Amino acid sequence: MTAEDLKTPTGASVDELEHEGDVAADFLEELLDIADIDGDLNLDVRQGRAYVSVEAEGDGVSVLSAPDTVQALQELTRLAVQSKTGAFSRLILDIGGSRDTRRRQLETLVDAAMAKLDAGSTQASLPAMSSYERKLVHDIVSDRGLVSESYGEGADRHTVVSRG
């Protein structure tokens, strides 16, 4: 058995995730060409997922790096990968550092929730967000010594923070 054959926590091999990243990069390169946006793509495998980062220059990146736009492009890219490979994709798309920016925003939301708890609330609800964002929130909350749980279904799924 080679290192490439090893399964990641999501059950996919590193080779499978690298192939997923390659398919995603091909799709995104065509999309950037259509939009006439110059950019470099970087591929990685992180935490059992293909991770595609787009570093673009000029005004195009500011438009593409808005959280809702990144989410929509990520879903389109996942569908393109699924169409090509026949397998469900959980790839993560980052455009112009959008993931780091979103993490900082989520940290601010958790800090506000902590302030509510410090002021006497027993729990604080955060807005609905994607599964990836909820995972980040759970990690941030845990790092701050608090407890979090997700509630709701579909687009209404949100995280509630408490002291435990």
Side-chain angles (χ1 to χ4, degrees), residues 18-162:
E18 287 175 346
H19 176 66
E20 184 177 323
D22 288 338
V23 172
D26 290 344
F27 172 77
L28 289 165
E29 282 176 348
E30 287 182 36
L31 191 66
L32 291 172
D33 284 345
I34 291 168
D36 197 27
I37 296 173
D38 291 325
D40 295 322
L41 282 87
N42 298 306
L43 309 177
D44 199 3
V45 173
R46 299 181 188 174
Q47 299 175 332
R49 293 181 182 206
Y51 190 95
V52 181
S53 176
V54 179
E55 295 301 323
E57 298 177 12
D59 294 332
V61 73
S62 62
V63 171
L64 293 180
S65 64
D68 289 342
T69 305
V70 173
Q71 187 68 26
L73 288 172
Q74 177 175 278
E75 291 306 314
L76 286 173
T77 305
R78 285 177 173 178
L79 288 171
V81 169
Q82 184 174 344
S83 174
K84 184 90 171 181
T85 65
F88 178 74
S89 172
R90 297 181 63 225
L91 77 86
I92 299 298
L93 177 62
D94 180 29
I95 300 177
S98 60
R99 294 295 174 180
D100 288 337
T101 299
R102 184 60 178 151
R103 182 177 179 90
R104 287 190 300 274
Q105 292 169 342
L106 294 173
E107 288 171 344
T108 300
L109 283 174
V110 170
D111 290 341
M114 287 179 66
K116 286 182 182 180
L117 296 175
D118 290 343
S121 294
T122 58
Q123 61 185 23
S125 293
L126 301 180
M129 55 188 72
S130 72
S131 61
Y132 178 79
E133 291 171 324
R134 286 192 315 277
K135 191 226 181 285
L136 289 177
V137 165
H138 291 305
D139 291 346
I140 295 165
V141 167
S142 177
D143 288 347
R144 288 180 166 79
L146 299 172
V147 175
S148 59
E149 291 187 53
S150 293
Y151 295 95
E153 299 293 327
D156 292 327
R157 195 148 173 88
H158 64 282
T159 306
V160 176
V161 180
S162 66

